[in-house]
Amino acid sequence: MVSIQALRPSDRPRGLSFHPRLARILETFYTVLSVCYLYDVTISNFGNPAHIEAAPWTLDISVTVQGAVGTIVQCFFAYRVWKLSRSIIWPTLAWIGSATRLALAITISVLNLQTHNIVVFSKKDNWVVVSSLAMSLSVDFLNVASLTWYLSGRKSDFVQCVFSSKIG
């Protein structure tokens, strides 16, 4: 998605020109953190079952980074809804939900950094993970439903044009 948006910069105002670059940098950072975590678990601590429950800092920080990437993408699609609809209501809800999602991702990282144990974290603070996933799903659904609604009204003219040119 980030690459597709980078190919069409003419659609974005100057204020959103950072979107593809920032998202790519954060996704690269996320990938590096994930590889470091996997290397730590599978190579450095191979055969050490006690280490599987440990939560290294790379795993904790990767949650926040991925939350930031998701928030950027969701806010961009909320911006597209705003441009299509000319109404600020649905995009504002999406922006608030995206900010809440980012706050929950940061909360997950902070709480997991304090416990240093995935099992303890999942028993004690599982509500934060569920809330973050629910918020992400809600904002994605709101963006998709809004885009579908507003784009479906524009589709009829395009479909008539295409069909009439192929038939006639």
Side-chain angles (χ1 to χ4, degrees):
M1 194 291 303
V2 173
S3 298
I4 291 170
Q5 294 302 326
L7 294 176
R8 299 207 33 159
S10 61
D11 291 346
R12 274 191 315 274
R14 289 188 182 272
L16 289 179
S17 62
F18 73 93
H19 168 261
R21 287 186 293 257
L22 179 62
R24 282 186 181 168
I25 290 169
L26 288 174
E27 284 179 347
T28 303
F29 185 53
Y30 173 73
T31 302
V32 168
L33 289 171
S34 298
V35 168
C36 289
Y37 169 70
L38 289 173
Y39 183 85
D40 185 47
V41 170
T42 59
I43 306 297
S44 298
N45 291 296
F46 180 75
N48 184 2
H51 188 73
I52 292 174
E53 292 182 3
W57 67 271
T58 53
L59 180 65
D60 299 329
I61 301 303
S62 67
V63 172
T64 299
V65 172
Q66 189 57 33
V69 170
T71 299
I72 291 170
V73 171
Q74 286 178 334
C75 286
F76 179 75
F77 280 110
Y79 169 80
R80 302 298 277 178
V81 169
W82 177 46
K83 285 299 183 182
L84 282 170
S85 68
R86 301 286 182 212
S87 171
I88 198 71
I89 296 169
W90 299 119
T92 301
L93 288 173
W95 290 324
I96 291 170
S98 295
T100 304
R101 174 196 180 186
L102 180 59
L104 288 168
I106 293 169
T107 303
I108 290 169
S109 294
V110 168
L111 291 175
N112 205 17
L113 278 169
Q114 291 174 350
T115 61
H116 297 292
N117 189 308
I118 294 174
V119 176
V120 172
F121 173 78
S122 65
K123 288 180 181 176
K124 184 178 134 191
D125 298 315
N126 194 36
W127 65 272
V128 183
V129 176
V130 172
S131 299
S132 176
L133 292 173
M135 187 58 63
S136 178
L137 177 69
S138 300
V139 172
D140 283 342
F141 181 77
L142 178 64
N143 283 337
V144 168
S146 299
L147 285 170
T148 303
W149 175 262
Y150 290 115
L151 288 173
S152 67
R154 295 178 180 207
K155 182 185 82 165
S156 61
D157 295 337
F158 175 73
V159 171
Q160 283 179 342
C161 176
V162 170
F163 283 133
S164 63
S165 66
K166 287 187 178 185
I167 294 173

